[in-house]
Amino acid sequence: QNKLFFAKAIEEQIDLLRIQTELEHRFQLKCFLDMSLAETLYNLIALNNPQATSEALKLQRRFKFPEKHFYYIKIQALAASGQFEALTKFAAEKKSPIGYTPFINACLQHGQTLHHCQQYIARLPLHERFPFYLQLGAWNQALDVAYRTRDPSLLDDIQRAAAADPSADSHNIAAQCDQYRSKLGISS
């Protein structure tokens, strides 16, 4: 049985090397040969070329590459190559099998702001949104989550984060936190 496994693995590796050689010839790039399947998929997607993306999907199916792993690779490749519109379309294709936190993290890692991240944050359960709003300095959204979850400790977190952020109007945010505490029936 081990011999069959190793024979199949060698056969797949030879097949991948043949495909990588064809890809280097077709796209006139030296970024495929001797790469892993995951690296090959990443490089194809990062090219920002519809034919290359189509090849990536064919390879995923041909080698039975796990869908969840493919999602992580595609998200990273699209974000790293600045294809944020394509990332948005990808997120909308179907429900993500890995959730939307990886989309947000990739956007943040590559310098995107609340404006772009918001579409993914909105897909998260309410309690998972808070740390991203805090990280992005989206004080009103963070206050809304704190109020809707009825969690006064989140108001304390908002005040601390705003006090540490020189661009935040910490006095105004503290006043808003006090207003939300009153609405929740909590004294400050």
Side-chain angles (χ1 to χ4, degrees):
Q1 236 176 3
N2 278 344
K3 288 180 184 179
L4 287 175
F5 171 78
F6 288 121
K8 181 155 176 56
I10 290 169
E11 186 180 307
E12 285 183 353
Q13 186 60 39
I14 291 169
D15 194 25
L16 179 59
L17 285 168
R18 182 187 53 74
I19 292 168
Q20 289 171 331
T21 302
E22 290 171 11
L23 291 172
E24 286 198 351
H25 178 72
R26 184 178 324 151
F27 294 108
Q28 299 294 305
L29 293 168
K30 299 279 186 211
C31 64
F32 300 111
L33 201 56
D34 289 329
M35 295 290 174
S36 69
L37 178 57
E39 292 167 320
T40 302
L41 294 170
Y42 180 96
N43 289 340
L44 283 167
I45 294 164
L47 285 178
N48 194 8
N49 175 318
Q51 291 175 330
T53 302
S54 176
E55 285 297 324
L57 291 169
K58 287 179 194 172
L59 285 176
Q60 181 212 3
R61 286 189 297 272
R62 180 179 188 149
F63 289 98
K64 297 179 177 103
F65 195 79
E67 182 184 30
K68 288 182 179 183
H69 195 172
F70 183 74
Y71 257 74
Y72 282 110
I73 288 170
K74 189 166 182 177
I75 290 165
Q76 285 301 318
L78 290 172
S81 60
Q83 299 178 65
F84 294 102
E85 266 186 52
L87 186 64
T88 299
K89 288 178 185 171
F90 181 53
E93 284 176 8
K94 66 178 188 174
K95 186 173 186 221
S96 170
I98 59 171
Y100 294 93
T101 299
F103 287 86
I104 301 164
N105 288 333
C107 287
L108 292 173
Q109 182 182 355
H110 295 284
Q112 294 300 298
T113 61
L114 174 65
H115 174 74
H116 194 82
C117 295
Q118 178 60 34
Q119 63 189 314
Y120 308 116
I121 295 172
R123 294 175 181 219
L124 295 176
L126 191 60
H127 66 281
E128 291 178 22
R129 298 175 190 179
F130 184 78
F132 292 112
Y133 287 141
L134 215 55
Q135 182 179 354
L136 290 162
W139 310 114
N140 290 332
Q141 291 91 331
L143 285 163
D144 182 59
V145 170
Y147 180 72
R148 289 172 57 195
T149 59
R150 308 193 67 71
D151 187 344
S153 70
L154 298 182
L155 295 170
D156 297 334
D157 293 343
I158 293 168
Q159 275 191 265
R160 275 193 296 279
D165 183 348
S167 68
D169 181 357
S170 57
H171 294 296
N172 184 36
I173 293 167
Q176 287 179 297
C177 286
D178 289 341
Q179 287 174 347
Y180 278 97
R181 284 186 187 92
S182 293
K183 287 181 183 181
L184 293 172
I186 302 162
S187 59
S188 44

